[in-house]
Amino acid sequence: MGNGVRKVVKKIAKSAIKNAPEPLEEKANEVVAEKAKEKFVEHIQSKGEEFTEKLENARDDFADKVHHKAGEAKEKTQEVLLSAREKLGKVVEAGENFQKKVSSANEDDGEKRKVKSVKNIKGASSIKTSKDIKGATKIKTAENIKSSNDIKTMGS
């Protein structure tokens, strides 16, 4: 019903109640009060049901959003952990290569480069002077070089 029709019906009902005899007026007031209560209760219940539906929908939407965000956070965390794992793997590999290079430098292999330590550095006393250099008289000649005949065998 429209608002205009409601107003007219209310006016008619009020004037009918005022003009009615007293027992009917009391009965009419009771009926009107009871109908008003019923309408009010129905209105409150419908508003409560609407609110409950909205609340359930909002709860479901919120749960979906939280679940979606948790999934995204899980994926991002896994990506970060994988990239960190790859970087750590590269660091470990570089460390192993460095360790191999350092350990191979310490080996006593003639072909490999040897890192000199303090013990291997010559001091001032071990440097040759002009007195230590061989002169022309100290150089071996063909007569001083041993031949195969001069080599002693085990039996002799």
Side-chain angles (χ1 to χ4, degrees):
M1 276 194 251
N3 283 338
V5 175
R6 280 188 181 174
K7 287 181 183 179
V8 171
V9 171
K10 282 183 184 179
K11 285 183 183 180
I12 293 172
K14 284 182 183 178
S15 66
I17 291 172
K18 284 182 184 177
N19 296 331
E22 195 161 313
L24 283 177
E25 188 178 329
E26 288 177 15
K27 184 71 173 172
N29 282 336
E30 289 175 12
V31 170
V32 168
E34 193 174 310
K35 288 289 183 185
K37 280 184 192 178
E38 288 176 10
K39 290 285 185 186
F40 183 71
V41 168
E42 287 176 12
H43 180 71
I44 295 296
Q45 286 178 346
S46 68
K47 290 293 181 181
E49 289 172 1
E50 288 176 22
F51 179 73
T52 303
E53 281 183 35
K54 287 180 182 179
L55 190 62
E56 287 176 359
N57 290 339
R59 185 190 66 205
D60 292 342
D61 291 343
F62 181 72
D64 290 341
K65 287 179 183 177
V66 167
H67 186 69
H68 180 70
K69 292 291 182 181
E72 288 178 358
K74 180 181 176 183
E75 289 175 10
K76 287 181 182 179
T77 304
Q78 286 178 343
E79 289 174 9
V80 168
L81 289 174
L82 285 174
S83 67
R85 182 179 180 186
E86 289 174 5
K87 288 177 183 177
L88 284 175
K90 290 177 183 177
V91 168
V92 168
E93 186 177 327
E96 288 173 353
N97 290 340
F98 178 72
Q99 191 171 6
K100 285 179 186 177
K101 287 179 183 178
V102 169
S103 63
S104 67
N106 290 334
E107 291 176 359
D108 291 330
D109 193 358
E111 294 179 15
K112 295 193 177 186
R113 197 179 92 214
K114 187 173 182 180
V115 177
K116 291 188 176 185
S117 64
V118 175
K119 297 175 187 174
N120 300 59
I121 299 174
K122 292 184 177 182
S125 61
S126 62
I127 297 175
K128 290 186 176 182
T129 62
S130 61
K131 295 177 187 175
D132 298 326
I133 298 175
K134 292 182 180 179
T137 57
K138 293 184 181 178
I139 297 175
K140 290 185 179 181
T141 61
E143 297 159 359
N144 296 342
I145 298 174
K146 293 181 181 179
S147 68
S148 60
N149 296 336
D150 296 330
I151 298 173
K152 294 182 182 178
T153 61
M154 290 180 93
S156 32

